[in-house]
């Protein structure tokens, strides 16, 4: 299912300049004021004083009358405060700055973002495509954009003494020249061994020996509240350390992300991208990658790629030069309480299948819209994002065992995963070209079950969008209802309209239950 538009900006913390972008609004949480007639002072004093009451002993009525609280068992301490000075002294020399330069052509998404107030470099970030069409994100003009020079700044860290470095894919994307600067101010020209936009991980190599390295940790041992520390080059300020705690685990960000991000409140800013996130023992548990922000700067919401995910991608890149990801071929959404009750489920857990792609692994395995996937290889699927992570980090051709809730009972289904790359190539091959007079839409008929799930009477689903339609703001997942005021019933109908070579068409699309007219200028 499509994500609802967010008033947020998901910022890649990999370039220097910043600007104002969309805002991520959170509903304030209010705490009821205490009753003025009841003083909280006695409770505070009682909690602060050593308890003389033996465990299990009754509390006297006089004590209760005096307003004292019964003693509460303290949470056992899990360890001392981390020695951040020691962590920095040990790991800092293995953290590097990454400077990139090159030229690139603006994509359709970038053209959508021209004139949107974004700083140089941010318009090329993969996550900004999910915010096209928001106020302030409209282009000033149309037409092609020539090759444009760019420079960027990020961070990275050394994982092997012979010069292997991890950073973010968005830091080095389109880069012609990549320079790595060590903490001792030595500089090396780096070779990009490979990058994986799906996980936003890139692997670099420099020609050096006996380099300092970081110690790698286990992010699965992290818990919410654990201390963490980030080191990087925010805004170009090298060897900058910030600290915070783990705010959440397994976060899914906009798009079909396969990464279960670690959320922290450690300060991360542009230039921190690709830098390491350390746990309290000084081991790397993540790669700092994204922030949510109203201003483009740090506002308490930072996201890191778990290091075990990055290492799995690294191993593939070092061996083959690229990373591959499994694909099940389903569109899913979260299960809320109302849906769980209607399906006869005890809890609102799992990933609800909204659509099944033709000829996909899911279709071959017999998955249907309305199924709820609750487990993958024994791993529970609590939210739809969990399914993306479990499937995306598996390999094409791998067999997975799914536990599925269907018709008020659980069944087991085995599926052999396809390749995400093959699916993208097929979508590109099926999509219409971007030449003048073409819409740039890949369409397919909606099944009866999909219409029921989407609560739509539309006939065609937009599976891919490029060219004129993309520039006009049409999005993948929209349902095409009408063209030039006439209800759409088939792809042939669209072709017949386009055969007349109109200069513009008016499309009526349905998005998130609402219908909007979108004018498409074909030139």
């Amino acid at each position: 299912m499509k994500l609802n538009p967010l008033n947020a900006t998901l910022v890649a913390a990999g370039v220097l300049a910043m600007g104002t972008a969309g805002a991520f609004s959170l509903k304030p949480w209010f705490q009821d004021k205490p009753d003025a007639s009841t003083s909280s002072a006695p409770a505070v004093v009682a909690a602060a004083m050593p308890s003389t009451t033996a465990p299990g002993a009754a509390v006297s009525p006089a004590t209760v009358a005096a307003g004292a609280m019964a003693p509460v068992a303290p949470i056992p301490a899990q360890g001392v405060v981390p020695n951040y000075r020691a962590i920095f002294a040990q790991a800092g020399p293995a953290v590097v700055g990454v400077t990139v330069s090159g030229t690139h052509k603006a994509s359709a998404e970038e053209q959508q973002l021209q004139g949107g107030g974004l700083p140089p470099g941010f318009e090329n970030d993969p996550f900004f495509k999910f915010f096209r069409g928001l106020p302030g994100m409209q282009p000033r003009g149309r037409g092609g954009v020539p090759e444009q020079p760019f420079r960027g700044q990020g961070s990275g860290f050394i994982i092997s003494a012979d010069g292997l470095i991890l950073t973010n894919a968005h830091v080095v994307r389109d880069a012609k020249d990549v320079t790595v600067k060590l903490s001792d101010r030595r500089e090396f020209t780096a070779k990009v061994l490979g990058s994986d936009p799906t996980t936003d991980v890139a692997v670099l190599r420099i020609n050096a020996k006996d380099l300092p390295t970081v110690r790698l940790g286990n992010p699965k041992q992290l818990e919410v509240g654990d201390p963490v520390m980030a080191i990087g080059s925010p805004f170009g300020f090298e060897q900058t350390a910030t600290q915070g705690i783990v705010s959440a685990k397994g976060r899914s960000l906009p798009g079909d992300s396969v990464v279960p991000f670690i959320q922290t409140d450690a300060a991360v800013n542009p230039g921190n991208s690709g830098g390491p996130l350390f746990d309290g023992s000084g081991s790397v548990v993540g790669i700092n990658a994204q922030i949510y922000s109203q201003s483009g700067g740090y506002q308490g919401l930072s996201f890191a790629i778990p290091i075990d995910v990055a290492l799995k991608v690294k191993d593939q890149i070092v061996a083959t030069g690229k990373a591959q990801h499994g694909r099940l071929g389903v569109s899913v959404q979260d299960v809320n309480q109302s849906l769980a009750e209607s399906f006869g489920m005890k809890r609102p857990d799992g990933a609800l299948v909204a659509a099944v792609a033709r000829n996909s692994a899911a279709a071959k395995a017999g998955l249907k819209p309305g199924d709820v996937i609750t487990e993958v290889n024994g791993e529970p699927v609590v939210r739809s994002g969990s399914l993306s992570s479990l499937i995306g980090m598996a390999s094409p051709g791998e067999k997975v065992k799914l536990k599925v809730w269907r018709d008020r009972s659980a069944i087991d289904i085995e599926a052999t995963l396809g390749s995400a790359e093959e699916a993208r190539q097929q979508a590109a091959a099926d999509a219409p070209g971007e030449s003048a007079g073409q819409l740039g839409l890949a369409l397919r008929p909606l099944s009866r079950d999909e219409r029921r799930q989407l609560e739509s009477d539309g006939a065609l689903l937009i599976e891919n969008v490029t060219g004129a339609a993309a520039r006009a703001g049409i999005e993948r997942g929209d349902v095409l209802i009408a063209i030039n005021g006439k209800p759409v019933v088939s792809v042939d109908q669209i072709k017949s309209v386009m055969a007349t070579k109109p200069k513009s068409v008016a499309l009526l699309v349905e998005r998130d239950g609402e219908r909007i007219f979108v004018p498409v200028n074909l030139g």
Side-chain angles (χ1 to χ4, degrees), residues 406-469:
R406 178 188 294 175
D407 297 330
R408 296 180 172 267
S409 63
I411 62 173
D412 294 320
I413 292 179
E414 185 175 85
T416 301
L417 298 181
S419 169
E421 180 61 27
E422 290 178 359
R424 282 193 292 268
Q425 291 174 355
Q426 184 61 44
D430 293 342
E434 295 189 37
S435 59
Q438 293 211 21
L439 274 175
L441 296 179
L443 303 163
R444 72 165 175 84
L446 282 167
S447 68
R448 182 178 301 177
D449 288 338
E450 288 173 334
R451 291 186 188 184
R452 185 178 69 253
Q453 291 292 331
L454 295 172
E455 298 181 351
S456 173
D457 56 2
L460 299 178
L461 177 69
I462 298 173
E463 286 196 310
N464 196 44
V465 55
T466 58

Side-chain angles (χ1 to χ4, degrees), residues 198-278:
T198 301
T199 56
D200 200 15
V201 173
V203 183
L204 312 180
R205 184 178 289 282
I206 60 175
N207 186 17
K209 297 180 179 179
D210 301 323
L211 295 173
T213 62
V214 297
R215 184 173 68 249
L216 302 176
N218 184 2
K220 289 184 171 60
Q221 295 178 351
L222 278 181
E223 297 296 340
V224 174
D226 285 352
V228 288
M229 177 179 180
I231 303 179
S233 304
F235 299 103
F237 292 103
E238 301 168 0
Q239 294 288 299
T240 297
T242 55
Q243 58 84 26
I245 64 169
V246 176
S247 304
K249 294 179 63 181
R251 286 294 195 210
S252 296
L253 300 183
D256 299 324
S257 174
V258 304
V259 178
F261 284 94
I262 302 167
Q263 180 184 331
T264 79
D265 66 350
V268 171
N269 281 291
N272 271 117
S273 266
L277 182 73
F278 297 92

Side-chain angles (χ1 to χ4, degrees), residues 6-83:
L6 298 176
N7 280 332
T9 299
L10 184 57
V11 179
V15 294
L16 290 176
M18 285 302 306
T20 304
F24 176 53
S25 59
L26 296 170
K27 183 178 180 181
W29 293 81
F30 297 97
Q31 184 177 5
D32 294 336
K33 294 182 179 180
D35 188 346
S37 63
T38 305
S39 173
S40 61
V44 173
V45 173
M49 294 176 59
S51 173
T52 57
T53 305
V59 181
S60 67
T63 302
V64 175
M69 295 176 60
V72 178
I75 298 174
Q78 297 299 317
V80 297
V81 175
N83 187 339

Side-chain angles (χ1 to χ4, degrees), residues 36 76 117 125 130 148 151 162 176 194 200 203 206 237 246 260 262 291 293 310 348 366 374 443 477 488:
D125 186 83
F130 301 114
Q148 298 177 345
R151 291 183 60 84
D162 60 353
K176 183 178 180 181
D200 200 15
V203 183
I206 60 175
F237 292 103
V246 176
I262 302 167
I291 59 176
S293 176
T374 58
L443 303 163
V488 171

Side-chain angles (χ1 to χ4, degrees), residues 187-400:
E187 295 186 4
F188 295 86
T189 298
K191 178 182 179 181
V192 180
L193 298 185
S195 63
D196 179 37
T198 301
T199 56
D200 200 15
V201 173
V203 183
L204 312 180
R205 184 178 289 282
I206 60 175
N207 186 17
K209 297 180 179 179
D210 301 323
L211 295 173
T213 62
V214 297
R215 184 173 68 249
L216 302 176
N218 184 2
K220 289 184 171 60
Q221 295 178 351
L222 278 181
E223 297 296 340
V224 174
D226 285 352
V228 288
M229 177 179 180
I231 303 179
S233 304
F235 299 103
F237 292 103
E238 301 168 0
Q239 294 288 299
T240 297
T242 55
Q243 58 84 26
I245 64 169
V246 176
S247 304
K249 294 179 63 181
R251 286 294 195 210
S252 296
L253 300 183
D256 299 324
S257 174
V258 304
V259 178
F261 284 94
I262 302 167
Q263 180 184 331
T264 79
D265 66 350
V268 171
N269 281 291
N272 271 117
S273 266
L277 182 73
F278 297 92
D279 63 13
S281 72
S283 299
V284 174
V285 289
I287 303 178
N288 296 310
Q290 306 290 333
I291 59 176
Y292 269 111
S293 176
Q294 292 178 328
S295 64
Y298 167 76
Q299 289 187 267
L301 292 167
S302 307
F303 299 91
I305 303 161
I307 192 63
D308 55 346
V309 171
L311 291 176
K312 186 171 183 178
V313 172
K314 181 268 297 182
D315 290 342
Q316 293 188 61
I317 288 176
V318 171
T320 67
K322 63 179 181 179
Q324 292 185 314
H325 301 278
R327 177 178 183 263
L328 187 57
V330 293
S331 297
V332 294
Q333 66 183 82
D334 287 336
V335 179
N336 58 29
Q337 185 63 41
S338 298
L339 288 171
E341 292 174 357
S342 67
F343 295 150
M345 302 176 67
K346 294 181 179 179
R347 297 173 55 184
D349 290 345
L352 173 60
V353 177
V356 177
R358 291 175 297 174
N359 301 320
S360 65
K364 294 174 183 177
L367 282 172
K368 303 176 182 178
D371 287 344
V372 180
I373 302 173
T374 58
E375 288 184 11
V376 176
N377 291 336
E379 290 284 334
V381 176
V382 180
R383 303 178 67 90
S384 58
S386 302
L387 179 68
S388 298
S389 299
L390 292 169
I391 297 298
M393 292 313 300
S395 301
E398 184 177 331
K399 292 184 177 180
V400 293

